[in-house]
Amino acid sequence: MKSDTLIPPAAGHKESRLRVLIADKSAHMRETVRRVLMQHQGCTVVGEAETMLEAVRLARHSNAD
């Protein structure tokens, strides 16, 4: 992901947060990435997945919010 990429706020929202789904087979790597991302105010971790199939399922569910 490019650091200069901006996501415009959704209609009716003053501020938009970057929603992230972490996917990696290593629990240690997922934990490390989550800790780094949680330090950024504009970022929300919406889930973690170990497999691609699990990531797709979580992304579909998360997108429905």
Side-chain angles (χ1 to χ4, degrees):
M1 180 173 79
K2 293 170 55 177
S3 61
D4 60 346
T5 302
L6 299 176
I7 299 175
H13 292 93
K14 292 181 181 178
E15 181 179 324
S16 181
R17 295 180 63 87
L18 178 63
R19 296 165 39 103
V20 178
L21 172 63
I22 302 168
D24 196 287
K25 65 181 177 181
S26 166
H28 175 70
M29 182 58 80
R30 291 191 310 270
E31 172 72 15
T32 301
V33 171
R34 183 176 55 80
R35 286 181 184 210
V36 170
L37 291 173
M38 296 299 287
Q39 294 177 7
H40 297 280
Q41 292 180 349
C43 183
T44 301
V45 176
V46 296
E48 296 180 23
E50 183 175 356
T51 66
M52 186 181 299
L53 181 59
E54 184 181 3
V56 170
R57 287 181 182 154
L58 286 171
R60 286 182 177 163
H61 176 72
S62 174
N63 199 27
D65 294 342

